[in-house]
Amino acid sequence: MAMTLRLTEDENRQLDELAVAEGRSKQDVVRLALADRWARLHKERQLTEVLARVMPRYGTLLDRLGPT
């Protein structure tokens, strides 16, 4: 699917610099950034789900151990 991406001059310069530094096209840099952000969001959601299951079981112990 085609898409138009509107960037400020500074954002476009940054994208150019990244593309040159990585030896990639600007399109590839944007695609990789999207994939990276999606992966981080997915991991955050997984962590939230795990903590929701674990905290009720180990919350008291963690409270007794106190902050690090």
Side-chain angles (χ1 to χ4, degrees):
M1 172 184 282
M3 178 180 167
T4 300
L5 178 63
R6 300 191 195 291
L7 302 173
T8 65
E9 287 182 29
D10 192 46
E11 291 167 336
N12 190 54
R13 180 190 52 75
Q14 292 171 349
L15 182 56
D16 282 335
E17 287 181 22
L18 280 171
V20 169
E22 296 180 2
R24 301 177 189 275
S25 69
K26 290 166 53 169
Q27 180 175 320
D28 284 344
V29 171
V30 172
R31 283 181 173 164
L32 288 170
L34 173 62
D36 179 63
R37 184 60 190 109
W38 183 88
R40 283 189 280 141
L41 177 64
H42 185 68
K43 287 179 185 176
E44 289 170 8
R45 286 180 179 164
Q46 286 179 322
L47 178 59
T48 299
E49 291 172 7
V50 168
L51 288 174
R53 288 193 316 264
V54 171
M55 287 305 292
R57 183 173 181 181
Y58 297 107
T60 304
L61 174 62
L62 293 171
D63 287 341
R64 289 191 319 199
L65 291 173
T68 55

